[in-house]
Amino acid sequence: MSVLVNRDTRLLVQGITGREGEFHSSAMLEYGTDIVAGVTPGKGGQTALDGRVPVFDTVVDAVRETGANATCIFVPAGAAPDAMLEAAEAGVPLVICITEGIPALDMLRVYHVLRAAGVRLIGPNCPGLTSVGEAKVGIIPGNIHRAGPVGLVSRSGTLTYEVVQAMTDAGLGQSTCVGIGGDPIVGTSFVDVLDMLNHDPATEAIVMIGEIGGEEEERAAAFVQREVRKPMAAFIAGRTAPPGRRMGHAGAIISGGAGTAESKRAALEAAGIAVADSPSQIPQLLRAAGVR
Amino acid sequence: MKLQEYRSKEILARHGVPMLAGETATTPAEARGAAERIGGPVVVKAQVLVGGRGKAGGVKLAASPEEAEARAGEIIGLDIKGVTVKTVLVAPAADIAKEFYLGLILDRAARAVTLIASPEGGVEIEETARTNPQAILRLPLHALIGLQPHNVRRASFFLGIPAELRRDFGAVLDGLHRAFVEADADLAEINPLVITDDGRLLALDAKIVLDDSALPRHPDLEDMRDLNEEEPSETAAREAGINFIKLDGSIGCMVNGAGLAMTTMDLVKLAGGEPANFLDIGGGAKADRVLAAFRIILDDPNVKAILVNIFGGITRGDEVARGIVEARAGLEREVPMVVRIVGTNAAEAAEILRQANLITATSLDDAAARAVAAASRASGATA
C-alpha cells in the first residue's frame, strides 16, 4: 500500500521531449514507473525515450489513447500554468508539477480551478513523490530509497533526499515520500498528505520536513494533535535565516516576525512530535519512538 | 523585490490613486529646487527600503525651500539601519484630518489576494495586529473574479469613510487592486491613506513588493531595482543565476537546493560557527557556476573556510568533484575547503577531492564540524 501513486499509476509526462523531461522520464522508467504517454505540442505521432513512449500533441489525445491517470509536468514556468489547466480539462485526476518559478498570481488561479474540478495537485516547485518499489514520479533519485513503514512529507528537494538517505542508511525504509513544494501557493499542504499517510495501512510512522515561512507547519501541528496517533519526527530548516529575506524558495521568508523556525519547532513539539536538530537525528528519533 | 516609495507611488498614480505628486532629489540643492516648484510647505523623505525611517530621522517637514535644502542636507548621507540615504522624495505637506491603512497581500494561508484595512493608519499593520487586532479587516478576495463592489463597500463602512468620499475611496481601492494585479505584486499598501482638512482622500505613503517569479515578464519594473540597497555580491549572484544572501559569519557555504542550503547554515551554527552566506547553486552544479559561486563567496574578506555540500542524487558525484577542483584552480584567494558530495559515484568523487588536497566528509554534521575547525585554524593563523 502507499498513497497517491502506485503500480496502477499510468503516467503521462508533459514536456517529455525537453532536456529535463527526457532525463527524468528515463530515470522514472528505469525505476519501474509505468509511463504511458508524453505530450509535446507539435510532436504528436513521434515517440520518446528510444521508442518506448508515444508522444501526443494534446493531453486530451494522450488520455483518450492511453488511459493516463496522472501527469508529471516539466514545462517551463511561462507555460506550466496552462499545462496544469490542460491536464485538469482533460480529466487527469492527479497533477504533479515540478516546474519552478511560476508567478504566484497565475498559481492562485490554477489552484482554485483545479480544486473546483476535484483534481489533486502536487507542487509546483516540488521534487515529486515516490511510493517505494511501486512508482516514482518526478526527480527524486530512486536509489536513495528502501521499502519500509515510514511515510515522509517535505517542502524541500535535496533536503528530502538527505533525510531519506539517512533513514535508508539506518535501515529504516519508506512507504511514500511526497515533496509538496517550496512555493507560497502549492496544491497540496502538509495537512493533506499527513491525512493520507495517517490512513495508509502501510505507513506506521511519519516524518515531516518543514522550513521557515508561512504557517503550514503550525497548521500541521494542530492537525497532528487532533488526528495522528502514529509516531512522528520532524526537522525544520532555517533557524539561522535572517528575517525579511527569501531563502531560495519563494515561500521561505520570515515576514513581520511570523514563520520562524523556532515558532514552528515549538508548535510541533507541543503536538508531541520529536523535532531533530540535524537531519541525521531523524532515524534515532524514529527508533526511540519504536519504529522498526 | 521591494520598491522604493517614489516608485510605488509612480505605479499607483498610473492606476488613478490620488496623491500629491513630489520630486526626487539626490542633493540638497535639488531638494530646494523641488520645493520651489512645489510651493508651500513640503515633507522631505529618505528613500530607503528598511522600515522605521521616521524614527531614524529620515522624514522631516520644511516650511520653505531653504528649510527643504537644509533638511535634505541632514537626511542625504544619513545611515538608516546600515543603508546610506542617497535619494529623498520632496512632496507637498498635507494637513491630515484622519489616517487609514489600506493594503493587499498575497495571502498564502487563505490562498487568495487579501484586502487589509484599518482605521489606525500611519502605524505598521503588524503593530496594530498586536495591539488592537479588532481594528483590522481581513477580506480574502475571490481568486478568479477579484475585487467586487461589495468588497469595496465592506471596507468603506468598516473604515467609516464619510458618504461624500465613498466614490473616491472606491477609485483608490480599485486602483490599488489593478496595480497589484498588473504588477504581479506580493504586497501593495497605502499607509497612510488620509482625509485632509479640506476633505480630500490622498495616498501619502506607499509600498509595493513584487513577486520575483513574475519579474521576467515585467522588464519595466525590473528597471526599478535599487542597486544602492543591494550587496554588490548579491547583485553579481543574481546576474549569474545563483541564489545568494550575504550574512556576517566566517564560513562560506555552497549547496545545491534551498532547503539543504538553509540546513547547512543551521548545522554550521550548531557546530559552533557562523555561516557567511546562504547559497543555492541549483541543479547539476556545473563547473562555470561553481566558479562563479566560489568567487562570490570569496569576495567577502570575512570568509575563512568554505563548506561545499552537494547532494548529487542523479547527478554524477565525480563530475561535480572535477568541476570543484577545476574551479578552485581558477581562484585568486585560497581558503580551506571542506567538500561533501553525496550521490552516484560518491567514492570516486571523494578520491578526486583528496588528490586535490580538499578536506572531505561523508556526513553533513561531520562536514560542518570540519569547516568550523578549519575556519578557526585559519583565523588563528592570520591573527
Side-chain angles (χ1 to χ4, degrees):
Chain A
M1 276 294 286
S2 51
V3 303
L4 291 162
V5 295
N6 55 36
R7 286 195 183 84
D8 299 326
T9 298
R10 296 173 59 77
L11 188 69
L12 160 72
V13 176
Q14 289 170 262
I16 195 166
T17 56
R19 195 169 48 89
E20 297 280 308
E22 190 172 6
F23 180 80
H24 291 291
S25 294
S26 157
M28 284 189 262
L29 270 186
E30 202 178 301
Y31 192 81
T33 307
D34 187 12
I35 303 183
V36 296
V39 164
T40 299
K43 294 195 177 174
Q46 303 181 11
T47 57
L49 305 174
D50 303 323
R52 285 179 289 178
V53 179
V55 178
F56 298 87
D57 285 322
T58 66
V59 177
V60 167
D61 290 345
V63 170
R64 190 180 50 231
E65 298 299 320
T66 67
N69 58 15
T71 179
C72 186
I73 295 176
F74 285 101
V75 309
D82 188 53
M84 289 183 262
L85 296 173
E86 185 186 359
E89 182 78 25
V92 181
L94 175 63
V95 176
I96 296 108
C97 185
I98 308 302
T99 308
E100 180 178 357
I102 298 174
L105 290 183
D106 292 3
M107 209 43 237
L108 214 50
R109 288 185 279 268
V110 171
Y111 173 89
H112 287 282
V113 171
L114 264 61
R115 195 178 161 84
V119 174
R120 165 63 62 193
L121 170 66
I122 310 282
N125 190 14
C126 79
L129 69 162
T130 308
S131 284
V132 182
E134 300 188 45
K136 134 182 155 80
V137 178
I139 63 174
I140 301 177
N143 59 8
I144 61 176
H145 292 292
R146 166 196 171 113
V150 185
L152 179 145
V153 57
S154 170
R155 271 167 75 184
S156 180
T158 50
L159 173 57
T160 308
Y161 314 163
E162 182 80 40
V163 173
V164 170
Q165 184 79 64
M167 288 197 286
T168 294
D169 289 348
L172 283 168
Q174 307 95 42
S175 52
T176 299
C177 299
V178 186
I180 58 173
D183 274 0
I185 308 292
V186 290
T188 294
S189 67
F190 276 127
V191 169
D192 296 330
V193 180
L194 288 172
D195 195 24
M196 293 178 215
L197 292 172
N198 197 31
H199 287 99
D200 175 34
T203 300
E204 292 166 22
I206 302 171
V207 171
M208 180 176 144
I209 312 294
E211 63 188 30
I212 56 159
E215 51 195 48
E216 288 300 318
E217 288 83 357
E218 285 85 341
R219 290 179 171 216
F223 175 81
V224 167
Q225 192 142 36
R226 252 191 352 260
E227 305 276 341
V228 181
R229 294 295 164 265
K230 296 180 180 181
M232 280 191 68
F235 178 74
I236 302 291
R239 288 175 105 170
T240 51
R245 306 295 309 265
R246 250 168 237 289
M247 307 301 283
H249 290 154
I253 181 168
I254 299 168
S255 44
T260 65
E262 295 311 326
S263 77
K264 291 172 190 294
R265 288 173 60 98
L268 294 171
E269 277 170 354
I273 301 170
V275 183
D277 288 328
S278 164
S280 65
Q281 294 171 355
I282 295 274
Q284 67 206 60
L285 292 179
L286 290 172
R287 292 273 190 223
V291 184
R292 290 288 164 262
Chain B
M1 179 173 97
K2 289 182 195 163
L3 295 181
Q4 296 286 7
E5 175 192 1
Y6 74 97
R7 296 294 200 182
S8 306
K9 283 181 163 175
E10 220 173 287
I11 293 173
L12 292 179
R14 259 188 247 155
H15 289 92
V17 173
M19 58 188 73
L20 300 171
E23 291 181 34
T24 56
T26 55
T27 64
E30 275 178 31
R32 180 194 179 112
E36 279 166 357
R37 281 185 290 280
I38 289 166
V42 294
V43 55
V44 182
K45 305 166 91 176
Q47 297 298 289
V48 288
L49 298 175
V50 291
R53 63 182 174 167
K55 278 184 196 139
V59 179
K60 288 179 176 171
L61 273 167
S64 65
E66 293 71 30
E67 265 188 46
E69 182 173 12
R71 298 294 88 79
E74 291 158 15
I75 295 172
I76 295 170
L78 192 69
D79 185 287
I80 301 181
K81 294 183 184 166
V83 178
T84 306
V85 180
K86 294 264 171 74
T87 304
V88 292
L89 176 65
V90 183
D95 293 315
I96 300 168
K98 183 88 189 78
E99 297 183 279
F100 307 97
Y101 173 95
L102 191 63
L104 292 169
I105 57 155
L106 177 77
D107 186 342
R108 312 161 62 142
R111 289 170 180 92
V113 173
T114 291
L115 163 66
I116 299 179
S118 172
E120 298 195 359
V123 290
E124 283 185 22
I125 194 71
E126 290 88 355
E127 179 63 25
T128 310
R130 270 189 299 273
T131 55
N132 192 8
Q134 313 90 289
I136 296 177
L137 172 72
R138 287 182 69 104
L139 195 58
L141 304 179
H142 194 287
L144 304 179
I145 56 175
L147 184 73
Q148 297 296 308
H150 66 88
N151 303 134
V152 179
R153 288 198 300 275
R154 180 128 175 244
S156 175
F157 286 113
F158 180 83
L159 293 177
I161 302 288
E164 64 278 13
L165 284 174
R166 274 184 211 138
R167 185 183 295 268
D168 291 350
F169 177 76
V172 169
L173 188 44
D174 186 56
L176 181 67
H177 182 254
R178 276 185 292 120
F180 185 96
V181 173
E182 281 177 32
D184 271 303
D186 275 347
L187 166 83
E189 67 178 21
I190 301 171
N191 187 23
L193 173 71
V194 303
I195 298 176
T196 58
D197 284 348
D198 55 357
R200 289 178 299 157
L201 201 58
L202 294 172
L204 282 203
D205 195 354
K207 180 161 121 186
I208 292 180
V209 180
L210 300 172
D211 174 5
D212 292 337
S213 295
L215 275 178
R217 65 185 179 198
H218 299 293
D220 55 323
L221 299 178
E222 174 63 53
D223 289 344
M224 292 185 171
R225 188 183 292 277
D226 191 340
L227 294 178
N228 177 44
E229 293 209 26
E230 194 172 75
E231 288 281 344
S233 55
E234 291 182 3
T235 309
R238 191 161 41 74
E239 283 163 2
I242 293 168
N243 264 315
F244 173 83
I245 292 168
K246 192 183 171 304
L247 302 168
D248 299 328
S250 65
I251 296 166
C253 300
M254 186 174 101
V255 188
N256 67 331
L260 190 56
M262 276 188 270
T263 303
T264 305
M265 288 162 43
D266 295 350
L267 292 184
V268 163
K269 174 97 176 174
L270 205 62
E274 290 289 341
N277 63 276
F278 165 91
L279 192 153
D280 169 14
I281 193 156
K286 300 196 176 50
D288 54 334
R289 258 163 181 260
V290 171
L291 179 60
F294 277 145
R295 290 227 160 99
I296 288 159
I297 292 171
L298 286 172
D299 190 48
D300 176 357
N302 291 334
V303 169
K304 301 288 182 249
I306 295 179
L307 168 53
V308 180
N309 183 24
I310 305 289
F311 201 107
I314 293 171
T315 317
R316 282 178 50 185
D318 50 337
E319 278 177 16
V320 176
R322 266 186 221 101
I324 288 167
V325 171
E326 210 179 289
R328 187 173 189 246
L331 293 175
E332 295 73 22
R333 181 158 85 92
E334 266 205 20
V335 298
M337 259 185 215
V338 179
V339 185
R340 170 185 186 247
I341 297 175
V342 184
T344 321
N345 298 349
E348 289 89 330
E351 188 49 38
I352 293 167
L353 297 169
R354 265 194 297 274
Q355 280 173 11
N357 277 325
L358 297 171
I359 307 165
T360 60
T362 47
S363 85
L364 180 46
D365 306 285
D366 184 36
R370 282 171 195 261
V372 171
S376 70
R377 273 198 306 276
S379 332
T382 52

